[in-house]
Amino acid sequence: MTIHATECLLRMHDEHHALEDYQSGVPRWCTGCGDNAILAAVQRLCRDEDLRPEKTVFVSGIGCSSRFPHYMKTYGFHGIHGRALPVAEGIKMARPDLTVFVNTGDGDCCSIGAAHWIHAIRYNMNMTVMLHDNQIYGLTKMQASPTSPRGLKSNTTPRGSYLDGLQPLTVTLGVQNASFVAQAVDWIPEVLYDILLAAYRHKGFSFVRILQRCPEWLPKMLDPWVHDPLKTLLLTHEDGVTLSPNLSKVYKTQERHDPSNINRAREIASLADPIPVGILYRNPNVPCYEDLRNAGQQRSTRYIKSGLDAEFDKFTIWPQDADSKVQPSA
Amino acid sequence: MTIHATECLLRMHDEHHALEDYQSGVPRWCTGCGDNAILAAVQRLCRDEDLRPEKTVFVSGIGCSSRFPHYMKTYGFHGIHGRALPVAEGIKMARPDLTVFVNTGDGDCCSIGAAHWIHAIRYNMNMTVMLHDNQIYGLTKMQASPTSPRGLKSNTTPRGSYLDGLQPLTVTLGVQNASFVAQAVDWIPEVLYDILLAAYRHKGFSFVRILQRCPEWLPKMLDPWVHDPLKTLLLTHEDGVTLSPNLSKVYKTQERHDPSNINRAREIASLADPIPVGILYRNPNVPCYEDLRNAGQQRSTRYIKSGLDAEFDKFTIWPQDADSKVQPSA
Amino acid sequence: MNGTTAQVLVKPRLRANKAAQTVPDGKAVTTLSEHIVEIVSDSGEGAQRCGQSLGAIAARMGNGVWTVEIIPAEIRPPARSVAGGSGNRIRLGSGRVTNGGNETDLVIAFNEQVLLGRVRTGALKEGCSILLESMWRESRDPKIAASYIETHDQLVAAGFKVIEIPMERECRLVVGDAKRGKNMFALGMLCNIYSFDLQLGREQIARTFGKKDASVIATNVKLLDAGYEWAEKNLDFKYCIPAVRSTEPQVVLDGNTALALGVLASGMEVCAMYPITPATSVSHYLSSVFEKVGGIVHQAEDEIAACTFAVGASYAGKCAVTITSGPGYSLKQEAIGLAVMGEIPLVVINVQRGGPSTGLPTKVEQGDLMTAIFGSHGDAPKVVIAPGTIEDCFYSVITARKIAETFNMVVIVLSDASLATSQQPFPRPQFSEAWLAPPIDQSEIPGGLKPYDWNPVTGLARRFIPGQPGGVHTLTGLAHDTLSHVAYDPESNESGIRARSHKLAALQKTLKTPSVFGDAKGDLLVVGWGSTKGAIEEAVTSLRAKGHKVSSLHLTFLQPMAPGIDEIMKRFKKVITIEGNWSDDPRDEIVDKNNRRYSALAILLRSRFLIDVDCWSEVRGQPIKPNTIERVLLEKMKK
Amino acid sequence: MNGTTAQVLVKPRLRANKAAQTVPDGKAVTTLSEHIVEIVSDSGEGAQRCGQSLGAIAARMGNGVWTVEIIPAEIRPPARSVAGGSGNRIRLGSGRVTNGGNETDLVIAFNEQVLLGRVRTGALKEGCSILLESMWRESRDPKIAASYIETHDQLVAAGFKVIEIPMERECRLVVGDAKRGKNMFALGMLCNIYSFDLQLGREQIARTFGKKDASVIATNVKLLDAGYEWAEKNLDFKYCIPAVRSTEPQVVLDGNTALALGVLASGMEVCAMYPITPATSVSHYLSSVFEKVGGIVHQAEDEIAACTFAVGASYAGKCAVTITSGPGYSLKQEAIGLAVMGEIPLVVINVQRGGPSTGLPTKVEQGDLMTAIFGSHGDAPKVVIAPGTIEDCFYSVITARKIAETFNMVVIVLSDASLATSQQPFPRPQFSEAWLAPPIDQSEIPGGLKPYDWNPVTGLARRFIPGQPGGVHTLTGLAHDTLSHVAYDPESNESGIRARSHKLAALQKTLKTPSVFGDAKGDLLVVGWGSTKGAIEEAVTSLRAKGHKVSSLHLTFLQPMAPGIDEIMKRFKKVITIEGNWSDDPRDEIVDKNNRRYSALAILLRSRFLIDVDCWSEVRGQPIKPNTIERVLLEKMKK
Ligand SMILES: Cc1ncc(C[n+]2csc(CCOP(=O)(O)OP(=O)(O)O)c2C)c(N)n1
Ligand SMILES: Cc1ncc(C[n+]2csc(CCOP(=O)(O)OP(=O)(O)O)c2C)c(N)n1
Ligand code: SF4
Ligand code: SF4
Ligand SMILES: [Mg+2]
Ligand SMILES: [Mg+2]
């Protein structure tokens, strides 16, 4: 998401912020939980982009990942399961001057929240959305989620889950008005940061699926990818993310992918192994719903009164009417 | 959807049915409503495939199109808005021996029902789904729907709708486990029939988006396509639909498309003009959820009793226990 | 068949009209205190416009008016079908008219089938006058002609005063396509019948067709005049309903338009909704005007999104509103609970329709009171108010917004399908700045203040709005302490629930005891809420006129309830609620005192005041008629 | 610090133990009628298994047992954290134990921080005995050592009998990794303290580790024995709770397992759910066993899908069940309304948790009764029942299924977080074919029968199931006539609503008046429902023992209510409900009779019987303690 002009002006009078200015409380996630890495990247982002804490809102649903706002020293809305997106939309529509982030889990977004997810992509409101995809229901103690790989043993699928996992990227890319779609992993912090930064700077609905480790319920599941860099396909492009020399040495499986190519983006999105990491698609020209609706107008009392009077006139019967014998405007 | 072997056996003892055996009441749709054409095609299908009325269920939500089951002389479930698919899934899971059809509107399926839609595709249960897409909320008197084209003037968008229409085909093709995706139009009955037949015969979740005219609220909207055959791209293939010589003469814009090619299917799905008509994608090898769950087992009382006893044993403390002094199995 | 025979057919029966006293030109003019007239046609023939125009004219004459739409069940019903009638029902009175009244006195029908529909729903008074388009008699389609004659004769046999009128033919003398203009011809006849100033009719046409070109207006005026003259010549009866022209400007609105204007006047800026009958027309109108004052109507993907969108907007700025009806209201339960827990101001408008489930989408019921109060898991106290008149619809939204932001609570406004589509004139509201929501507070929060600094007595706490420096915190739907930190300890949970509950008590202390309609004491007190107000008070008035000691009490606040209600009830021998929702009839075989299910308000009153409040209710999808209520009350008093 | 000092520290304090009478070997054995013991550790240290094993052993000894899980708020809380304690609380008794009881008498804690957590929630009895792992004293981390010593001294100062025990060290004498085995060492100590047959302990270990290889069992038995001997040697106190071994087989289950087994036993075949605490464990267990008897657990994409999936399955076959908790229950309101309208049998299990909104996910509350009864728009009558014991949990599901299919109604089963996680032994149910759902009727429907042939008195109609020849019709959520055709006319709507309402009356006629606990008449009657049953009856028993004329009444059917309840209440001077939901405290400054908000059951009883039923309730996320109830009742009787 980009920053409003007005924001920039205000900024100039601002003192700069340090990391601590965005840190609140001690995260209660399990040690080794991928959410910690995401939190670190986001706090860094806020500091580097010097966001004003009181003008920033983190919105979430319910889940381990949805505890995120509590650990940010900004405004936060820790709502109900599956509804983070419509809440965030309401906030953005009422207050386009606020910077909005959304943290949502794979159950929160892709299961109970799926309808809102599809439509949020359509609305393309200016916000940054992080899908914390640990492929499991964490908080409720290990039930299969829509993104769980087939055969995953969980408390509701003791003999293994029945269906192939839903691929959030292909779904997102299938929806009209998708404007920013990326994938990151919690264990490559540098790229995670770069992707989140690009997402934040994109004006529109920036959707970042983050493969997030859940050591509590799925201790080893992502190890093959964590341990073998070759199983990660890094998408590089001057309009996307570019890799540091060091990273380039480690992650040799790379593809130069132009984020404006949706057909190729959809093909890449379908890849399961190696897993793509980077910006799959970006289209800066999709209008934002809040702009189409002229959100955030200033309204004076006189303005409202005149509008109201104009409406009442349409329905008013004036006492003198009955006497006025003017010919109809015919 | 294909028919169960058992069904076939039962069939043999059946008398054949006539159209009237599937017709119930006088449809209350507006004259010229595309739903009438869909009803005619479906009744023909039932007759030709000789479905047993008492073993057939039409499930719908709420909307003009959801009145469909009332006009079929079969079992019908006219439920609540947006929930036709989960109801149909429950029916199929409890009774795989029943033949299930679903009639749903663009609001019913793509707006309030969107989450169920996405997941129904994943489950890939054996049913035929007709999306009556008139690109408007008909029953509630003309509000924009997710599939309404941008700029459409409606009662909730008097200055024109704000967003480009959602494309149900690209969304469906973005979902894991999609196994049958087609598009038809109400004004080419012959092709509509062929597509529905193919959908019915496909074992799995057969999704057919039908462009349906709503003369009441959008009298002229689809006229350009109705009147100019060249604006329709007919997808032909020996594994898809093949055109009669007559139709071929009229609809000259054609593409030979192999329904097994998903990448091309996704590209075709994105086409707005000419509009594709035919089978975009079919994969007969996606397993059905009800089969993965062994739905429809026969269960004897003894079977249940023994299962229950086995469980109770795990939690039982026998009176003699305390006295038995056997060494632990160590 | 030609006009003359029509008159031959008509005249004798008309002469029978006793109440009429003959005037010089042989025309009978009957003075009436009130009259109910209906005009019904196939949809598309413009009966609705005719009715609305008549209502406007009558209002401008100074008559009391209550108009009700007659809506077909289907979108586009087949022509000449019993269920397909579309039109308007207008109750005219000398004084103020507060409800749709009883059966209809006079009907104009464009064909006999739509007329039959009205007869079958029992809308028409025995032996009432029917002005019937006679063209069908000569229909080329023998089936049509036959059915027309059959129906006509049945109605005559049933004692209706059927007056056949060749409207089509008469109109054709004025315009080419008669079908289009018939409604204005009918309007002309009605102006004549009710002795309305024809000039007002002409002006009304000028208003309605204002945007169209002059020729359109001219033709319609011609038709109006034609109808007026035809009636003058051919009908030998005429009515006069004495009117007192009001000295102040009046607005004529239906309840949904009034609600929409209330949203405008409340200064709210965001309305999030999902279409549902009969609530949608609020949003239709709002969509066309809200943007003019900087507001936004957002049609969400479903009701849950609509409600949570509104919650988000409220949280971040001014109180927002979400509008729905029964099924949508049920879907919003969890989201409403979140607003209650987070103490986010929110206005929820529920335009009630027949339930349960999809029920009767276009018809009236008062079935959602209990779910409005108790309908979310855990303890989720909300304010519930219900408008009783069209005027109330307007002001209730303003009140709701104010309460919502003063107490940081959810306020439910319960309207219904009857108020939604009825029109009634009321004094044009005088704009007041006090109506509007204050601008969003972005000032710095003084150090030390906590987001949930619950007042130990009232439970109130200052609301923190994003953008306010020093106010950063994370709102949560989980149990939380005064810092809005998630807290699972017994004290935090208890004190949060107490605070949210006590806010209701705090509001209750500010409410005024409602005033009794009729004497302060007597034999029977009728308690009601919502759209039945007018009918109840009319029944009470009539009974009192007959010497019965009956009074009524109307409750606008259902939760919390104003103080003093028990004292009022205690002054009457019997108390009964009249409601448009279900209650078991004690006379039914299987019903006894241990299992009888009471009406919503009766349950609430009985439980709070331990007074044996009886109830009578109806769920017939129709507004409850004053004379039905009168009958019921008489029976109850006998016992 | 070494063992001897530990004993030095311990002994003197122990000598102080008065109740004890010395026996030959200088060991004091105290006979008790009941005792509450807790074992708490960091999660992962196995305190839970130790507690469950102790419960099982006690049950096999023939003692009454009630075990409650101690669950940390977070998934994986940091080690040695106050909020992170995990373990078990076991109430042991001579006779049957019906609830968790009051404060704890004896605690074994693996570190002082988790112990602190228990102290702070007020779980421990004043001056109770604490067996505390002493290793922390010598922790290499000075902070830890300091905090240990500080806490230890505070507890001693606070009058607790702190007994430091070098468990880690002692275990290391037996196994390498002591951390893993400590829990079995503790189990050994407890077997000794409570004079349990050690052999039962060994067998219990054999059961729990049955699947693992023999060596594992051997090591754990060694630890058990070690703990037993250590206690024998070093503790100079010992308890004995006389037990009567039951002659019939018992099952030890928690409420959620009992519910799941009830689903099995009811013959239902489809359970559709969406995960939510504290209901999910029902589905966890069901998922592992349901398929073995041909059943299916479907985890849907959300609660609305879960409920409509169940509705579809019920419609097409046998009655299905959906399981949830508060937030999910709110989301299901519209779908439940559809089942009511279509008269589709459906069982909905709501394992209540703290509300409103997300509230207290893991904690107990009885906050959903009103929304269970009134929580869907329009008139949506459902049956509402609530289990009061673990045993009830099992049978209530069977009853619910039966009622649902007999009356074609929705039956809500209200359990709660307390029943969900508590364990209690009860007689092993004897399988009966009558429990099971009949096979799906696929016979031909006799000609002329209609899908909604409502019985004029009872409202009952035969259910048509897809596959039945001659039964084809379209079920609809819209108002409909007996043919299931959409009908908007007043009569159809009214008769449909009447039929659905009267089915409740028909069921009510079949219910038996519940029996009073205590005398049939007296000064005070306590009425309750659900999981508070045991605590209420215990309090009543104790008060009666002290000579107070108190009795209690437990209601299993909340809607409809059994006949005869009013007669029972009238025999007492005062009636009060005790509930785990919110009610305003009349003593609070802002609360008065006009605005006081009553508890759910109190509202229902007051409204139906016009008796001045008082209420006292608590929403502290904890089971209500018997002595709290006793205190409250005493106060109420003073007034
Ligand atoms: C309406 C509702 N349904 C269900 C729940 C229970 N619940 C809480 S979090 C959650 C899913 C958690 O999974 P995910 O969204 O992937 O987040 P994670 O914990 O994995 O980060 C569920 C089902 C709830 N709180 N509310
Ligand atoms: C829960 C709920 N919300 C809203 C409605 C109102 N409603 C009925 S049909 C409909 C949408 C109709 O549009 P569509 O699904 O496209 O069907 P169509 O009438 O166009 O065939 C709506 C919003 C409802 N009945 N229930
Ligand atoms: S359970 Fe998994 S997702 Fe949740 S905090 Fe622990 S590791 Fe993270
Ligand atoms: S409104 Fe449109 S969709 Fe509905 S019946 Fe009429 S034409 Fe068909
Ligand atoms: Mg997850
Ligand atoms: Mg539509």
Side-chain angles (χ1 to χ4, degrees), chain A residues 82-90 109 112-123 125 205 289, chain B residues 81-83 106-115 137 144-146 163 166, chain C residues 272-275 298-309 331-332:
Chain A
R83 322 303 173 185
L85 289 168
V87 167
E89 293 155 11
C109 176
I112 191 171
H116 312 310
W117 172 34
I118 300 300
H119 288 270
I121 299 164
R122 276 191 80 216
Y123 300 137
M125 298 183 80
F205 186 83
Y289 185 53
Chain B
H81 189 41
R83 322 301 172 185
D106 42 319
D108 202 55
C109 176
C110 309
S111 197
I112 190 170
Y137 284 9
S145 97
L163 307 169
L166 187 78
Chain C
M273 49 70 69
Y274 185 74
H298 169 61
Q299 180 181 319
E301 57 270 28
D302 62 20
E303 283 87 354
I304 296 174
C307 196
T308 43
F309 187 104
L331 283 172
K332 296 181 185 196

Side-chain angles (χ1 to χ4, degrees), chain A residues 35 62-66 80-81 83 104-109 112 132 134-140 143 145 212, chain C residues 334, chain D residues 274-277 280 303 324 327-328 331 353 358 361:
Chain A
D35 288 333
I62 298 289
C64 293
S65 40
S66 289
I80 47 178
H81 190 41
R83 322 303 173 185
T104 178
D106 42 320
D108 202 55
C109 176
I112 191 171
H132 300 234
N134 55 5
Q135 305 177 18
I136 194 76
Y137 284 8
L139 188 66
T140 45
Q143 298 84 24
S145 99
Q212 171 231 327
Chain C
E334 193 207 5
Chain D
Y274 185 74
I276 186 164
T277 308
T280 321
E303 283 87 354
T324 189
L331 284 172
R353 63 191 226 180
T358 313

Side-chain angles (χ1 to χ4, degrees), chain B residues 77 87 90-98 296-305, chain D residues 263-272 290 293-296 307-322 339 343-347 400-406 408-409 431 433-442 463-466 468:
Chain B
F77 194 108
V87 168
I91 293 172
K92 194 68 187 176
M93 184 63 82
R95 298 288 304 280
D97 59 310
L98 299 174
Q297 294 177 41
Q298 294 311 322
R299 324 159 68 211
S300 70
T301 301
R302 283 184 53 259
Y303 183 50
I304 297 173
K305 179 185 189 320
Chain D
V263 171
L264 243 67
S266 72
M268 291 193 277
E269 291 171 3
V270 172
C271 166
F290 209 12
V293 297
I296 287 157
C307 196
T308 43
F309 187 104
V311 165
S314 276
Y315 160 78
K318 295 183 182 177
C319 174
V321 60
T322 183
E343 302 188 47
I344 302 166
L346 179 69
V347 173
R401 199 279 308 158
K402 221 182 181 59
I403 293 174
E405 286 195 355
T406 310
N408 294 332
M409 289 187 87
F431 179 84
E433 293 212 4
W435 291 350
L436 302 183
I440 299 172
D441 181 357
Q442 291 289 278
R463 175 175 166 218
F464 289 17
I465 297 174
Q468 289 189 283

Side-chain angles (χ1 to χ4, degrees), chain B residues 43-307:
Chain B
Q43 287 171 337
R44 222 183 104 200
L45 173 87
C46 292
R47 189 223 21 221
D48 298 353
E49 296 294 301
D50 200 17
L51 297 186
R52 295 171 61 198
E54 74 274 14
K55 293 287 244 172
T56 309
V57 188
F58 283 80
V59 183
S60 67
I62 298 288
C64 292
S65 40
S66 290
R67 284 303 190 89
F68 198 99
H70 288 281
Y71 309 137
M72 294 297 303
K73 204 182 286 169
T74 63
Y75 278 90
F77 194 108
H78 178 210
I80 46 178
H81 189 41
R83 322 301 172 185
L85 289 168
V87 168
E89 293 156 11
I91 293 172
K92 194 68 187 176
M93 184 63 82
R95 298 288 304 280
D97 59 310
L98 299 174
T99 302
V100 177
F101 293 85
V102 175
N103 302 88
T104 178
D106 42 319
D108 202 55
C109 176
C110 309
S111 197
I112 190 170
H116 312 310
W117 172 34
I118 299 302
H119 288 269
I121 299 165
R122 277 192 80 217
Y123 300 137
N124 190 46
M125 297 184 80
N126 190 13
M127 54 182 72
T128 305
V129 179
M130 291 162 261
L131 169 59
H132 301 234
D133 192 351
N134 55 5
Q135 305 178 16
I136 194 77
Y137 284 9
L139 188 66
T140 45
K141 307 197 165 175
M142 200 189 193
Q143 298 84 24
S145 97
T147 61
S148 297
R150 183 168 188 174
L152 182 104
K153 285 192 165 47
S154 81
N155 283 321
T156 43
T157 57
R159 283 163 295 279
S161 61
Y162 303 90
L163 307 169
D164 287 331
L166 187 78
Q167 172 47 266
L169 299 174
T170 55
V171 175
T172 306
L173 287 165
V175 180
Q176 198 62 248
N177 289 350
S179 73
F180 185 103
V181 183
Q183 177 154 278
V185 294
D186 75 57
W187 58 89
I188 315 180
E190 186 174 331
V191 179
L192 172 62
Y193 175 86
D194 291 345
I195 290 173
L196 288 176
L197 186 63
Y200 164 75
R201 290 183 171 169
H202 169 74
K203 182 165 196 290
F205 186 83
S206 314
F207 182 79
V208 184
R209 180 203 187 194
I210 306 171
L211 284 172
Q212 171 231 326
R213 285 169 295 177
C214 172
E216 177 69 11
W217 307 125
L218 308 173
K220 312 227 151 312
M221 194 175 72
L222 291 168
D223 283 7
W225 289 271
V226 176
H227 297 142
D228 177 359
L230 297 183
K231 287 168 72 67
T232 304
L233 172 69
L234 273 162
L235 306 174
T236 62
H237 195 278
E238 50 280 14
D239 294 344
V241 285
T242 52
L243 290 186
S244 68
N246 301 347
L247 275 177
S248 269
K249 281 199 213 70
V250 185
Y251 294 93
K252 298 204 179 58
T253 327
Q254 300 182 11
E255 172 173 339
R256 195 170 170 293
H257 167 65
D258 178 348
S260 66
N261 178 348
I262 186 140
N263 289 334
R264 180 56 194 155
R266 285 174 174 164
E267 287 168 29
I268 293 173
S270 310
L271 299 175
D273 193 6
I275 47 169
V277 166
I279 299 173
L280 283 86
Y281 182 66
R282 175 173 51 210
N283 177 353
N285 305 323
V286 183
C288 292
Y289 185 53
E290 68 271 32
D291 296 339
L292 293 167
R293 303 305 309 268
N294 319 313
Q297 294 177 41
Q298 294 311 322
R299 324 159 68 211
S300 70
T301 301
R302 283 184 53 259
Y303 183 50
I304 297 173
K305 179 185 189 320
S306 62

Side-chain angles (χ1 to χ4, degrees), chain A residues 2-15:
Chain A
T2 49
I3 317 97
H4 288 258
T6 55
E7 272 302 272
C8 301
L9 291 171
L10 289 164
R11 279 288 196 70
M12 302 192 310
H13 313 292
D14 256 6
E15 80 294 345

Side-chain angles (χ1 to χ4, degrees), chain C residues 191-210:
Chain C
C191 285
N192 176 277
I193 293 173
Y194 290 106
S195 321
F196 287 158
D197 178 342
L198 187 57
Q199 183 53 28
L200 289 184
R202 300 205 183 96
E203 288 172 16
Q204 185 58 32
I205 287 174
R207 282 168 172 266
T208 23
F209 297 96

